């Protein structure tokens, strides 16, 4: 399709934490002879190259805003670099309470929700999901990857899908934004659509009307073949969306309610939603499409599709959140389940969730995760855990440094600009300057 690359660059993760570069930047920071005081005053002064990068993109009107946060350990508020406005035609400045479509940064939240239930013995990491969703007991699998979905190209699954498979994208489930074969149109026609972008029809992205409940999504997805045998290979997928249904069946309550009661409320995340309340539209950013270097609004805040009730809560890409809220989620992870005096998850559940959970023997050759690890919904490598979103957002915790960091902006596709690579370069330049200053 003519616009298919509009969706693929970010959502394929090729531009996310490329080659473990973010972890490498963390290792660079770890060599610096400085303490936490650097983030206790003007952060723009401490990170001049990062600040200049944000200023350049904002001044050139390539993005409306670039808002970055850095926080150490359990300090109450992360400090910020950059700024901008809610929209290119707005004079309202963004801050820690502005609202962003975080898309796949939803996945680590869903992953940690699953780890809570695993820790409590409600479900097992290697438990077959058909014990919660019987329709997944006898799955069929494509013989030719992304080939026909007819009987002559199908064979029985050689093993059952487990919770671990869903957490690590090794279940063999497809994704409408990744697959290239006839299964994409079949998903769309059946409403197996796990995400929202715009009220505008954008060819190649989420074509069709999604089903109206998470139960209907899970039941519908079970009618389609897997694209790979379970447990054999990493393939970015709708597995975290399906995991939302497993969680609600296991927990005995709606998935979105479980997230609110077990993660959002105890973390003090009062601005994280599947549907933005009308009273909060004044905090919502515009989302932009980039075409030939020009930004045009594809989801203006005033008429955003996120003001509508979500067809169902998508655990892979459905949330809108604020820099303050997501920093609190990261702070909880950095505290191994504890945020201040509040225990949200057990120490063991977080440690397991941020570790490499790939099934033994998983083939990563030629995939986006080659040489990397994957935890509960996010990348796990060299003491860091995190993931990014389709509209340019990025978040990670670095356990080696005790650092939590986020990048917030709103444009698609993320490969339209080399922001993430430039961010890493700016970060490295600033750390080099810090080392030189300390050595002088």
């Amino acid at each position: 399709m003519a616009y298919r690359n509009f969706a693929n660059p970010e959502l394929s993760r090729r531009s996310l934490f490329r080659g473990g570069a973010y972890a490498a930047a963390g290792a660079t920071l770890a060599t610096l002879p400085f303490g936490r005081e650097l983030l206790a005053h003007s952060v723009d002064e401490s990170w001049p190259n990062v600040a200049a990068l944000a200023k350049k993109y904002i001044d050139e009107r390539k993005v409306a805003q670039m808002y970055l946060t850095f926080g150490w350990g359990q300090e109450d508020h992360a400090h910020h670099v950059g700024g901008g406005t809610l929209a290119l035609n707005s004079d309202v400045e963004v801050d820690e309470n502005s609202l962003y479509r975080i898309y796949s940064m939803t996945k680590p939240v869903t992953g940690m929700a699953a780890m809570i239930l695993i820790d409590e013995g409600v479900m097992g990491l290697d438990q077959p999901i058909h014990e919660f969703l019987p329709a997944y007991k006898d799955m069929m699998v494509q013989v030719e990857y992304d080939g026909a979905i007819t009987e002559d190209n199908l064979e029985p699954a050689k093993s059952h899908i487990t919770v671990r498979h869903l957490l690590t994208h090794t279940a063999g489930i497809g994704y409408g934004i990744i697959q290239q074969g006839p299964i994409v149109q079949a998903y769309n026609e059946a409403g197996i659509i796990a995400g929202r972008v715009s009220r505008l029809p954008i060819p190649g992205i989420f074509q069709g009307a999604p089903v109206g409940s998470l139960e209907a999504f899970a039941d519908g997805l079970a009618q389609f073949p897997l694209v790979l045998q379970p447990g054999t290979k990493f393939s970015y997928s709708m597995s975290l969306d399906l995991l939302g249904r497993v969680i609600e069946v296991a927990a005995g309550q709606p998935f979105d309610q479980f997230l609110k009661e077990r993660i959002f409320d105890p973390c003090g995340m009062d601005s994280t939603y599947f549907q933005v309340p009308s009273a909060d539209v004044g905090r919502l950013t515009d989302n932009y499409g980039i075409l030939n270097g020009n930004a045009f609004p594809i989801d203006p805040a005033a008429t955003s599709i996120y003001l509508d009730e979500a067809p169902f809560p998508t655990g892979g890409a459905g949330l809108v959140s604020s820099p303050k809220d997501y920093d609190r989620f990261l702070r909880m992870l950095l505290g191994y389940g504890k945020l201040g005096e509040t225990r949200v998850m057990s120490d063991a559940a977080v440690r397991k969730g941020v570790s490499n959970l790939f099934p033994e023997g998983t083939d990563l050759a030629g995939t986006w995760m080659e040489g990397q690890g994957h935890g509960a919904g996010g990348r796990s490598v060299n003491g860091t855990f995190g993931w990014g979103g389709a509209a340019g957002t990025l978040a990670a915790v670095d356990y080696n440094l005790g650092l939590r960091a986020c990048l917030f902006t709103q444009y698609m596709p993320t490969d339209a600009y080399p922001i993430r690579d430039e961010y890493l370069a700016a970060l490295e330049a600033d750390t080099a300057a810090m080392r030189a200053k300390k050595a002088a």
Side-chain angles (χ1 to χ4, degrees), residues 82-223:
T85 55
L86 292 174
L88 286 171
N89 63 348
S90 171
D91 58 3
V92 179
E93 295 185 356
V94 292
D95 59 25
E96 65 176 9
N97 294 306
S98 300
L99 298 176
Y100 291 81
R101 302 150 193 80
I102 63 171
Y103 285 109
S104 288
M105 276 165 50
T106 304
K107 288 178 169 70
V109 176
T110 301
M112 291 303 155
M115 295 311 300
I116 290 173
L117 294 178
I118 291 169
D119 180 64
E120 294 176 349
V122 177
M123 63 185 185
L125 182 59
D126 293 304
Q127 184 173 7
I129 67 167
H130 73 252
E131 295 182 10
F132 301 100
L133 308 178
Y136 286 84
K137 185 175 183 180
D138 298 308
M139 295 297 291
M140 301 298 287
V141 184
Q142 288 182 317
V143 176
E144 177 192 358
Y145 175 78
D146 243 354
I149 54 175
T150 53
E151 189 173 328
D152 58 346
N153 189 46
L154 302 180
E155 64 180 2
K158 298 175 182 178
S159 61
H160 294 302
I161 298 171
T162 67
V163 173
R164 181 191 297 269
H165 294 154
L166 296 184
L167 287 168
T168 58
H169 300 287
T170 55
I173 292 169
Y175 213 164
I177 55 175
I178 296 298
Q179 310 312 133
Q180 299 289 327
I183 201 170
V184 175
Q185 182 177 349
Y187 283 154
N188 289 337
E189 291 175 351
I192 307 305
I193 300 168
R196 298 186 288 174
V197 173
S198 174
R199 298 185 190 281
L200 302 172
I202 302 176
I205 302 181
F206 304 138
Q207 300 298 296
V211 294
S213 70
L214 191 49
E215 180 180 9
F217 169 80
D219 289 348
L221 182 59
Q223 304 308 307

Side-chain angles (χ1 to χ4, degrees), residues 138-434:
D138 298 308
M139 295 297 291
M140 301 298 287
V141 184
Q142 288 182 317
V143 176
E144 177 192 358
Y145 175 78
D146 243 354
I149 54 175
T150 53
E151 189 173 328
D152 58 346
N153 189 46
L154 302 180
E155 64 180 2
K158 298 175 182 178
S159 61
H160 294 302
I161 298 171
T162 67
V163 173
R164 181 191 297 269
H165 294 154
L166 296 184
L167 287 168
T168 58
H169 300 287
T170 55
I173 292 169
Y175 213 164
I177 55 175
I178 296 298
Q179 310 312 133
Q180 299 289 327
I183 201 170
V184 175
Q185 182 177 349
Y187 283 154
N188 289 337
E189 291 175 351
I192 307 305
I193 300 168
R196 298 186 288 174
V197 173
S198 174
R199 298 185 190 281
L200 302 172
I202 302 176
I205 302 181
F206 304 138
Q207 300 298 296
V211 294
S213 70
L214 191 49
E215 180 180 9
F217 169 80
D219 289 348
L221 182 59
Q223 304 308 307
F224 289 92
L226 304 177
V227 299
L228 291 164
Q229 287 288 343
T232 61
K233 197 175 182 73
F234 173 85
S235 182
Y236 198 55
S237 69
M238 292 183 282
S239 65
L240 273 296
D241 302 288
L242 178 58
L243 184 59
R245 175 59 180 163
V246 176
I247 288 169
E248 71 177 13
V249 171
Q253 67 180 135
F255 173 56
D256 51 349
Q257 183 180 335
F258 183 86
L259 291 185
K260 185 176 188 302
E261 292 183 5
R262 300 301 301 272
I263 295 180
F264 301 158
D265 286 351
C267 282
M269 298 169 65
D270 56 9
S271 295
T272 300
Y273 319 105
F274 286 103
Q275 177 187 9
V276 176
S278 58
D280 288 333
V281 68
R283 294 194 283 143
L284 181 61
T285 54
D286 283 11
N287 191 20
Y288 290 87
I290 309 300
L291 186 63
N292 298 323
N294 297 310
F296 62 96
I298 56 174
D299 190 45
T303 58
S304 174
I305 196 168
Y306 282 90
L307 298 175
D308 296 347
E309 182 179 358
F312 59 92
T314 53
L319 288 173
V320 169
S321 190
S322 68
K324 180 181 178 180
D325 270 23
Y326 210 86
D327 175 67
R328 293 186 70 81
F329 174 67
L330 296 184
R331 179 180 162 195
M332 182 273 290
L333 295 183
L334 201 55
Y336 292 106
K338 195 173 182 182
L339 192 155
E341 297 302 314
T342 301
R343 171 64 67 182
V344 180
M345 299 174 59
S346 76
D347 181 289
V350 174
R351 288 181 186 274
K352 188 69 173 179
V354 300
S355 70
N356 181 19
L357 298 178
F358 273 134
E360 185 176 352
T362 300
D363 179 12
L364 302 178
T367 74
W368 314 319
M369 294 300 297
E370 188 169 5
Q372 311 292 315
H374 200 288
R379 186 182 302 264
S380 172
V381 58
N382 298 337
T384 66
F385 175 80
W387 204 246
T393 58
L394 181 67
V397 290
D398 187 321
Y399 288 98
N400 297 320
L401 295 174
L403 178 68
R404 53 192 206 257
C406 290
L407 186 160
F408 287 90
T409 188
Q410 294 280 263
Y411 73 93
M412 302 174 79
T414 54
D415 270 9
Y417 301 137
I419 285 177
R420 287 176 176 166
D421 288 342
E422 291 176 344
Y423 167 60
L424 295 173
L427 194 64
E428 291 169 2
D430 285 338
T431 58
M434 291 176 193

